[in-house]
Amino acid sequence: MRLSDQVAEQLYVLVQQRQLQPGQRLPAERQLAEELGVSRAALREAIQRLSSRGILESRIGSGTFVCAHAPLWSDQAISPLLPLMRDDPQYRYDVLEARQILETGTAWLAAQRATDKDRDRIRRCFDEMLNHQNIHDADNAARADTQFHLAIAQASHNIVVVQAMRSLFEMVLNTVAQNRREMFVHKDPKVLARLTQQHHDLMQAILDGEPEQAKAVIGEHLAFVHEKLLEADADDARLQRLGRFSSAQTTFS
């Protein structure tokens, strides 16, 4: 992937992560260039590329804005699935399965292709996730968790994979937040400690350039999430049965 394409993808992901809506203004060029770790010339070229795709619009003297009809993360390919995700929690297992397919590959590629900037971005996302966990900010911890996985996808430098992961962004964010709530319903600190260690091990495998280790760790991580969700579902089912039994006793007493 050419440098200009990489910067354009980074900028596009930033727009998604901040959930900038059509008509909203992006931060100033200087700030964006610093955040992305690129020159202002490279940033301008990236803006031009996204402008040609109908995503951004540069207005002289005003700045850069998200276009009114920008094809962002809530596009037609994903939006029909969102009501299913809201109405039937079991669809989160489909999302987990899709993540397993995509993320084992992205972790393997990222360990081979990550640049210094990619590694820095992955570290920052991990640190941000830890900070939010430490202050018990569950919503922002979930968002940072998702951004951590997206940063790894970006480090794969496969534009098709990045697009696929980006399209899943809202569903992944929603299910990560839901998964965290369900897994932590009993406030077992061991669960969070295990997840944090898995994220750390995944990051370290990528930083060390160990593709097979990265692939193994992400597989273990998603399998662990699946296991804990099944346990949470089983607990909920037992509580529902107990509730029905208690209601029946009251009726016949």
Side-chain angles (χ1 to χ4, degrees):
M1 185 187 299
R2 291 176 297 181
L3 176 60
S4 56
D5 291 328
Q6 292 180 30
V7 179
E9 289 302 317
Q10 291 175 31
L11 181 57
Y12 192 10
V13 170
L14 184 145
V15 171
Q16 294 171 329
Q17 290 174 346
R18 296 188 178 179
Q19 297 191 20
L20 297 179
Q21 300 302 309
Q24 280 191 280
R25 185 180 183 277
L26 273 64
E29 278 189 7
R30 183 185 299 277
Q31 180 182 339
L32 281 175
E34 290 177 356
E35 288 188 35
L36 297 175
V38 299
S39 68
R40 295 180 70 175
L43 175 64
R44 291 190 189 104
E45 186 172 353
I47 291 173
Q48 289 175 357
R49 286 184 177 276
L50 294 182
S51 296
S52 68
R53 289 163 56 183
I55 296 169
L56 299 180
E57 176 186 3
S58 293
R59 302 176 189 171
I60 298 175
S62 299
T64 303
F65 295 78
V66 180
C67 285
H69 303 290
L72 298 178
W73 43 268
S74 55
D75 59 20
Q76 293 181 352
I78 294 300
S79 57
L81 300 177
L82 298 181
L84 298 177
M85 295 296 302
R86 288 191 294 266
D87 298 338
D88 186 352
Q90 295 302 308
Y91 274 95
R92 65 189 173 189
Y93 292 106
D94 285 350
V95 176
L96 266 179
E97 190 173 87
R99 289 183 61 189
Q100 184 83 34
I101 294 167
L102 285 170
E103 294 193 60
T104 51
T106 59
W108 187 79
L109 289 172
Q112 299 177 74
R113 299 176 177 176
T115 64
D116 289 341
K117 290 179 182 177
D118 292 328
R119 297 185 189 98
D120 287 342
R121 187 182 307 112
I122 292 169
R123 286 192 195 97
R124 287 198 303 272
C125 290
F126 178 78
D127 290 342
E128 183 178 351
M129 182 174 61
L130 285 186
N131 289 337
H132 291 308
Q133 287 176 181
N134 289 338
I135 62 174
H136 308 291
D137 185 345
D139 289 340
N140 280 320
R143 181 171 295 281
D145 187 337
T146 304
Q147 291 174 353
F148 173 78
H149 288 277
L150 283 172
I152 291 172
Q154 283 183 267
S156 74
H157 295 280
N158 182 309
I159 193 169
V160 176
V161 171
V162 172
Q163 290 278 18
M165 283 292 293
R166 187 168 56 217
S167 295
L168 282 171
F169 180 79
E170 183 176 357
M171 287 200 300
V172 169
L173 176 59
N174 287 339
T175 55
V176 166
Q178 181 185 15
N179 293 350
R180 280 175 168 260
R181 285 193 297 270
E182 298 255 352
M183 288 188 291
F184 305 151
V185 68
H186 300 301
K187 305 300 183 184
D188 184 353
K190 293 180 180 178
V191 173
L192 181 56
R194 179 82 176 274
L195 286 170
T196 301
Q197 186 62 50
Q198 289 170 348
H199 281 112
H200 177 272
D201 291 346
L202 174 59
M203 175 181 68
Q204 198 60 52
I206 292 170
L207 298 182
D208 292 342
E210 297 287 346
E212 294 301 330
Q213 178 65 10
K215 185 177 179 179
V217 174
I218 187 61
E220 175 191 343
H221 169 62
L222 293 175
F224 179 72
V225 171
H226 188 273
E227 174 191 340
K228 291 303 171 186
L229 289 179
L230 287 175
E231 291 177 7
D233 283 347
D235 288 344
D236 286 343
R238 279 192 290 271
L239 289 173
Q240 290 175 12
R241 288 195 298 272
L242 180 60
R244 290 195 297 270
F245 177 71
S246 298
S247 297
Q249 282 189 314
T250 301
T251 300
F252 292 105
S253 61

